[in-house]
Amino acid sequence: MDAGSRSISSEKSRAAAAPRPPLQEAGSRPYMPPLSSGSRNPSAKCYGDRFIPDRSAMDMDMAHYLLTEPRKDKENAAVSPSKEAYRRLLAEKLLNNRTRILAFRNKPPEPENVAAADATSSHHARPAKQRRHIPQSAERTLDAPELVDDYYLNLLDWGTNNVLSIALGDTVYLWDASSGSTSELVTVDEDSGPITSVSWAPDGRHIAVGLNSSDVQLWDTSSNRLLRTLRGVHEARVGSLAWNNSILTTGSMDGKIVNNDVRIRNHMVQTYEGHSQEVCGLKWSGSGQQLASGGNDNLLHIWDVSMASSMPSAGRNQWLHRLDDHVAAVKALAWCPFQSNLLATGGGGSDRCIKFWNTHTGACLNSVDTGSQVCSLLWNKNERELLSSHGFTQNQLTLWKYPSMVKVAELTGHTSRVLFMAQSPDGCTVASAAADETLRFWNVFGTPEVPKPAAKAAHTGMFNSFNHIR
C-alpha cells in the first residue's frame, strides 16, 4: 500500500478555513549555440580526408636513395653555376626528375574559392536545429484550494478543445487556456462527493466525472447539462477513467474494471477482473487495441481488445499480461506516441522506479530508480523524451531523454508531491497539480510547430442519442 494518502474526512474538515477563489493567479539556463559546423564541399567526398600511398606505383629503390641521400648545406657551401647546371642535367637524365618518395593514385583536389564553397554548402545543407531552451520556472501558477491529497485519484485532465478540468473537493472547474477564463461545471452533494476522477471524451466537449459514491456522471460542457448517470457499475469510489472512442472504461476501489458503451442504455459491455485492490491507473493505447491498468496491489495488467471480443458471453476477460515487477502501487501509466507497443509505468513510494515494457511480449525493457515516488508520466509528442512528476523529497518534475534515460532538466517549485499532470492539445505545455494546492503550467516540451491545414472530418456524435435519456 502506498503511504501518504490523506483521508477524505480530513479533507472535508478544511472547509471551515477561509475559502480561496479557485484557479486564480498565485502570488535559466543560458542560450547555448549549436555545436555543429558547416558541411564540407560535396565534391571532396570522393577523396576522403587522407591520401593512401599506392605501392604498385612506387619505385622502392629510388625512394630509399632519396631518403638516405646526404643533405647538402646550401647556405654554407658555395656551388659554382657550372656544377649546379651539371647536377640538374644529371637528375633529369637519371632520375627523370623524380623527387617525391610516395606516389598516389589520385591527385588532391584543386583548392576552390572559399566564398564559393561556403555558398554551395549553405545552399545544400539543412539549417542546424538549435538546442531547446527549457524554462526552469513555471510559466503560470494558479491557486487550487481543496485539492484532495490522494495518490490514487485522477483529478486533472486537458481536453482537445484546450479546456482544462480540475476537481477541487466537491466541485469540477473548467479553465479555458485560450482565454484564461474559469467556470464551474458542477458541485455534487456531500453524499456523492468528493469527486474522485475526471476525464475528457475525445471530442473535447463531453466529460466524465467519477464520484466517491461509485456513480459516474456524463456532462455536456457546452450547455452545462448532465446527460446521464451510470449507476450500479461499481461498489466503491471510481478513481480512474479512460476513453476509447465511445467506450468509457472505469476503474474502482472494488478492483473491477468495466467498459461502458455510453451510446446505449445497457452500457456495461465488458468487465475485467484481475486486481485485488483499488485500480488507480487506466490508459488505452493510441490504437485502442490494448488497455493498461495499474493497481494498489502493485500489479500491472495489459488487456487486449481481441481477447475481449472473442469471449463476449463470459462477461469477464482474461488479461494478456500480468506483470508484478513493481513493489508499490502502479498509478503512473503512459503509452509511447512513436512506438505503439511501448508502455512506461511508475511505482509508488516503496518502488520509485520507472519501467518500460514491450506490451506484445510482456518483457521489461528497462528500469530506472528515480529516488522518489512516481506520481505521473507524460511523453513528449515531438521528441524522444519522458516527463515524470514526483513526491518527497524534491517534489519535482524530471525530464528524461529516451532511451538513455539521461536527465535533461529538473523543474522545481511545488512544495508538496506533484500528484497529477496533464498535457495541452498541442503537446507543448504541461499542467501539474500538487498537494500544495497550486496548479502550475510549464513550457517544458517547446514551442508548438505550425500545423498544416487539414480538412475537418465530421464528428460522428456519440452523444446524439442522449436527448432522450433522463
Side-chain angles (χ1 to χ4, degrees), residues 224-246:
N224 277 27
R225 184 165 61 98
L226 176 63
L227 298 176
R228 69 185 300 184
T229 300
L230 309 181
R231 295 187 173 91
V233 180
H234 295 285
E235 300 173 0
R237 70 177 186 180
V238 180
S240 52
L241 302 167
W243 287 91
N244 187 8
N245 295 321
S246 59

Side-chain angles (χ1 to χ4, degrees), residues 60-382:
M60 302 305 293
D61 294 333
M62 179 59 62
H64 181 267
Y65 168 75
L66 292 174
L67 284 172
T68 57
E69 180 186 18
R71 297 182 59 87
K72 298 179 180 179
D73 190 355
K74 297 182 179 180
E75 294 181 358
N76 299 327
V79 181
S80 63
S82 59
K83 288 186 178 181
E84 181 64 21
Y86 175 77
R87 188 191 64 78
R88 288 199 300 266
L89 180 63
L90 186 63
E92 180 180 357
K93 297 299 182 181
L94 298 180
L95 306 180
N96 293 323
N97 284 329
R98 288 181 292 173
T99 59
R100 300 190 61 174
I101 297 175
L102 301 179
F104 300 89
R105 186 182 302 275
N106 295 323
K107 294 182 179 180
E110 293 294 330
E112 298 180 2
N113 183 274
V114 176
D118 291 344
T120 304
S121 61
S122 61
H123 176 73
H124 293 284
R126 294 182 178 180
K129 188 174 182 180
Q130 292 186 353
R131 181 176 296 181
R132 188 174 85 248
H133 171 66
I134 302 173
Q136 298 299 298
S137 58
E139 186 179 12
R140 170 177 286 183
T141 302
L142 303 179
D143 279 325
E146 298 187 50
L147 181 71
V148 179
D149 181 10
D150 194 325
Y151 177 81
Y152 305 101
L153 306 185
N154 293 274
L155 305 179
L156 184 70
D157 197 19
W158 205 327
T160 56
N161 279 356
N162 206 19
V163 178
L164 183 139
S165 62
I166 184 170
L168 302 178
D170 297 330
T171 305
V172 175
Y173 292 94
L174 305 179
W175 184 78
D176 192 325
S178 301
S179 63
S181 60
T182 303
S183 61
E184 179 182 323
L185 176 65
V186 57
T187 298
V188 299
D189 55 47
E190 292 186 359
D191 294 334
S192 299
I195 293 166
T196 52
S197 55
V198 292
S199 181
W200 284 100
D203 61 5
R205 173 184 170 187
H206 301 89
I207 191 171
V209 179
L211 303 178
N212 190 58
S213 63
S214 78
D215 293 341
V216 179
Q217 296 181 350
L218 301 177
W219 285 81
D220 184 346
T221 60
S222 62
S223 60
N224 277 27
R225 184 165 61 98
L226 176 63
L227 298 176
R228 69 185 300 184
T229 300
L230 309 181
R231 295 187 173 91
V233 180
H234 295 285
E235 300 173 0
R237 70 177 186 180
V238 180
S240 52
L241 302 167
W243 287 91
N244 187 8
N245 295 321
S246 59
I247 300 296
L248 173 62
T249 305
T250 57
S252 170
M253 185 181 276
D254 61 15
K256 290 194 301 183
I257 302 169
V258 179
N259 283 347
N260 301 271
D261 190 336
V262 299
R263 301 169 297 182
I264 59 179
R265 185 173 296 274
N266 298 323
H267 50 83
M268 296 175 58
V269 292
Q270 284 154 350
T271 300
Y272 302 100
E273 293 191 358
H275 291 282
S276 59
Q277 296 187 40
E278 181 168 15
V279 179
C280 52
L282 278 178
K283 280 291 188 300
W284 281 98
S285 64
S287 63
Q289 295 301 306
Q290 291 186 330
L291 172 69
S293 66
N296 193 31
D297 52 7
N298 308 344
L299 293 177
L300 169 68
H301 285 95
I302 307 297
W303 314 83
D304 195 273
V305 167
S306 60
M307 297 179 65
S309 60
S310 65
M311 300 179 293
S313 60
R316 296 174 177 83
N317 299 286
Q318 183 68 24
W319 56 79
L320 177 63
H321 299 295
R322 182 186 180 102
L323 307 168
D324 58 0
D325 293 38
H326 284 288
V327 295
V330 185
K331 176 197 173 186
L333 306 172
W335 289 92
C336 179
F338 52 82
Q339 187 174 337
S340 60
N341 64 325
L342 177 60
L343 175 70
T345 62
S350 300
D351 182 84
R352 306 180 304 275
C353 289
I354 298 175
K355 297 183 185 293
F356 298 91
W357 308 88
N358 182 335
T359 59
H360 289 170
T361 64
C364 182
L365 305 177
N366 192 14
S367 180
V368 178
D369 190 342
T370 67
S372 60
Q373 181 185 54
V374 183
C375 301
S376 184
L377 292 171
L378 287 175
W379 286 95
N380 187 342
K381 297 178 180 179
N382 303 314

Side-chain angles (χ1 to χ4, degrees), residues 3-37:
S5 299
R6 186 183 301 174
S7 64
I8 292 175
S9 59
S10 64
E11 284 296 323
K12 293 182 177 180
S13 65
R14 297 173 49 193
R20 285 186 291 155
L23 305 185
Q24 299 299 316
E25 292 283 353
S28 82
R29 177 180 299 177
Y31 170 75
M32 295 292 292
L35 302 178
S36 60
S37 58

